[in-house]
PDB file of all heavy atoms in Angstrom:
ATOM      1  N   VAL A1482       8.482  87.544  -3.944  1.00 95.00           N
ATOM      2  CA  VAL A1482       7.997  88.409  -2.866  1.00 95.00           C
ATOM      3  C   VAL A1482       6.548  88.815  -3.131  1.00 95.00           C
ATOM      4  O   VAL A1482       5.699  88.775  -2.234  1.00 95.00           O
ATOM      5  CB  VAL A1482       8.904  89.657  -2.715  1.00 95.00           C
ATOM      6  CG1 VAL A1482       8.281  90.675  -1.782  1.00 95.00           C
ATOM      7  CG2 VAL A1482      10.279  89.254  -2.227  1.00 95.00           C
ATOM      8  N   ALA A1483       6.249  89.197  -4.363  1.00 94.00           N
ATOM      9  CA  ALA A1483       4.878  89.574  -4.711  1.00 94.00           C
ATOM     10  C   ALA A1483       3.928  88.382  -4.587  1.00 94.00           C
ATOM     11  O   ALA A1483       2.789  88.526  -4.135  1.00 94.00           O
ATOM     12  CB  ALA A1483       4.819  90.147  -6.118  1.00 94.00           C
ATOM     13  N   GLY A1484       4.374  87.192  -4.980  1.00 94.00           N
ATOM     14  CA  GLY A1484       3.551  85.986  -4.844  1.00 94.00           C
ATOM     15  C   GLY A1484       3.261  85.669  -3.384  1.00 94.00           C
ATOM     16  O   GLY A1484       2.131  85.320  -3.022  1.00 94.00           O
ATOM     17  N   LEU A1485       4.278  85.794  -2.522  1.00 94.00           N
ATOM     18  CA  LEU A1485       4.055  85.575  -1.088  1.00 94.00           C
ATOM     19  C   LEU A1485       3.142  86.653  -0.506  1.00 94.00           C
ATOM     20  O   LEU A1485       2.333  86.378   0.397  1.00 94.00           O
ATOM     21  CB  LEU A1485       5.390  85.529  -0.350  1.00 94.00           C
ATOM     22  CG  LEU A1485       6.258  84.308  -0.670  1.00 94.00           C
ATOM     23  CD1 LEU A1485       7.631  84.449  -0.028  1.00 94.00           C
ATOM     24  CD2 LEU A1485       5.579  83.031  -0.214  1.00 94.00           C
ATOM     25  N   ALA A1486       3.253  87.867  -1.037  1.00 95.00           N
ATOM     26  CA  ALA A1486       2.364  88.945  -0.590  1.00 95.00           C
ATOM     27  C   ALA A1486       0.913  88.643  -0.968  1.00 95.00           C
ATOM     28  O   ALA A1486      -0.016  89.044  -0.262  1.00 95.00           O
ATOM     29  CB  ALA A1486       2.808  90.271  -1.184  1.00 95.00           C
ATOM     30  N   GLN A1487       0.706  87.925  -2.064  1.00 94.00           N
ATOM     31  CA  GLN A1487      -0.653  87.506  -2.435  1.00 94.00           C
ATOM     32  C   GLN A1487      -1.253  86.618  -1.346  1.00 94.00           C
ATOM     33  O   GLN A1487      -2.414  86.778  -0.976  1.00 94.00           O
ATOM     34  CB  GLN A1487      -0.640  86.748  -3.768  1.00 94.00           C
ATOM     35  CG  GLN A1487      -0.334  87.594  -4.973  1.00 94.00           C
ATOM     36  CD  GLN A1487      -1.511  88.418  -5.410  1.00 94.00           C
ATOM     37  OE1 GLN A1487      -2.649  87.959  -5.408  1.00 94.00           O
ATOM     38  NE2 GLN A1487      -1.241  89.650  -5.780  1.00 94.00           N
ATOM     39  N   PHE A1488      -0.447  85.671  -0.841  1.00 94.00           N
ATOM     40  CA  PHE A1488      -0.927  84.811   0.240  1.00 94.00           C
ATOM     41  C   PHE A1488      -1.223  85.622   1.493  1.00 94.00           C
ATOM     42  O   PHE A1488      -2.250  85.446   2.143  1.00 94.00           O
ATOM     43  CB  PHE A1488       0.096  83.711   0.565  1.00 94.00           C
ATOM     44  CG  PHE A1488       0.107  82.605  -0.430  1.00 94.00           C
ATOM     45  CD1 PHE A1488       1.120  82.514  -1.363  1.00 94.00           C
ATOM     46  CD2 PHE A1488      -0.898  81.646  -0.438  1.00 94.00           C
ATOM     47  CE1 PHE A1488       1.136  81.489  -2.293  1.00 94.00           C
ATOM     48  CE2 PHE A1488      -0.888  80.616  -1.362  1.00 94.00           C
ATOM     49  CZ  PHE A1488       0.137  80.535  -2.300  1.00 94.00           C
ATOM     50  N   ALA A1489      -0.327  86.522   1.845  1.00 95.00           N
ATOM     51  CA  ALA A1489      -0.525  87.357   3.029  1.00 95.00           C
ATOM     52  C   ALA A1489      -1.783  88.214   2.884  1.00 95.00           C
ATOM     53  O   ALA A1489      -2.561  88.361   3.837  1.00 95.00           O
ATOM     54  CB  ALA A1489       0.702  88.237   3.262  1.00 95.00           C
ATOM     55  N   THR A1490      -1.997  88.749   1.694  1.00 95.00           N
ATOM     56  CA  THR A1490      -3.187  89.561   1.444  1.00 95.00           C
ATOM     57  C   THR A1490      -4.451  88.726   1.586  1.00 95.00           C
ATOM     58  O   THR A1490      -5.456  89.193   2.133  1.00 95.00           O
ATOM     59  CB  THR A1490      -3.125  90.178   0.033  1.00 95.00           C
ATOM     60  OG1 THR A1490      -1.917  90.917  -0.084  1.00 95.00           O
ATOM     61  CG2 THR A1490      -4.295  91.088  -0.228  1.00 95.00           C
TER      62      THR A1490
END
Side-chain angles (χ1 to χ4, degrees):
V1482 170
L1485 292 173
Q1487 290 283 319
F1488 284 104
T1490 304

